[in-house]
Amino acid sequence: MTRESVAVPCRLQINGQDYSADLPPSVTLLDLLRERLDLTGTKKGCDHGQCGACTVLVDGKRVKSCLILAVSIPDSVVTTIEGIAQDGRLHPMQQAFIDADAFQCGYCTPGQIMSAIALLEEGHIHSRAEIREFMSGNLCRCGAYNGIINAIEQVVSRQHRNQAGEAA
C-alpha cells in the first residue's frame, strides 16, 4: 500500500458546516479548503507559511493554512473569509477594508482580514506600531499597509464608540 492510498478520518466544522471525510494525511488545510471544498477565498501564495495569504482562523486563532495538515486538527472549528459575513452583511473588518481603501490587487486581502480579526481578539491594538508588528506575518506586495492599518484602527474606533455608548 502506498502512502498516497492511506486515508485518515478528518472531521471539522468549516464556516458553521460540519465536514467529514477520509483524507490522505498529506492534505493541508489550505488544499482541503480550496481544492476539495471550493472555498477559494483563502489564497495560496508562497505555500511555505511566509506570506500569510492563506490565513484562516482555527478555533479562533489565526493560522497559516498551508502549514497545517487537515487531519492534524480533528474536531476544530475553521473560519475562512467566506464564513465571516453574517446575514448577508459584511463583517465590520471587511467593510473597513473597503472604506479605508486597504487593498489594491486584492490577492492578500482575505488573509489580511482574517489576521486583522484575530488581532482584535488578541488585543494587539494599542498603537499603529503594535498593529504593524502583529500584522507582519501577512505580506502585501502592493504596499497597502497604511490602508490596512487604517482599516484596523477604524474597526477599533467603532468598537470603542459602541462600548462607550452601551456604558452610557
Side-chain angles (χ1 to χ4, degrees), residues 98-135:
I98 293 168
D99 295 345
D101 199 23
F103 53 89
Q104 289 180 32
C105 80
Y107 195 81
C108 72
T109 304
Q112 296 277 1
I113 289 172
M114 297 308 292
S115 192
I117 290 169
L119 176 87
L120 293 177
E121 292 299 317
E122 296 162 4
H124 301 297
I125 53 173
H126 299 87
S127 68
R128 286 182 75 83
E130 185 177 39
I131 292 170
R132 186 180 311 276
E133 174 67 25
F134 282 91
M135 289 294 291

Side-chain angles (χ1 to χ4, degrees), residues 36-91:
R36 296 174 186 257
L37 298 179
D38 202 31
L39 295 171
T40 57
T42 304
K43 303 302 183 201
K44 184 178 275 197
C46 66
D47 214 20
H48 296 288
Q50 297 175 348
C51 73
C54 66
T55 302
V56 299
L57 304 180
V58 175
D59 296 328
K61 306 242 184 285
R62 55 182 155 170
V63 300
K64 294 175 180 173
S65 61
C66 71
L67 297 179
I68 304 287
L69 297 176
V71 299
S72 73
I73 53 168
D75 301 313
S76 290
V77 174
V78 177
T79 306
T80 70
I81 192 73
E82 291 92 346
I84 62 171
Q86 302 244 332
D87 301 321
R89 294 182 58 197
L90 293 177
H91 184 281

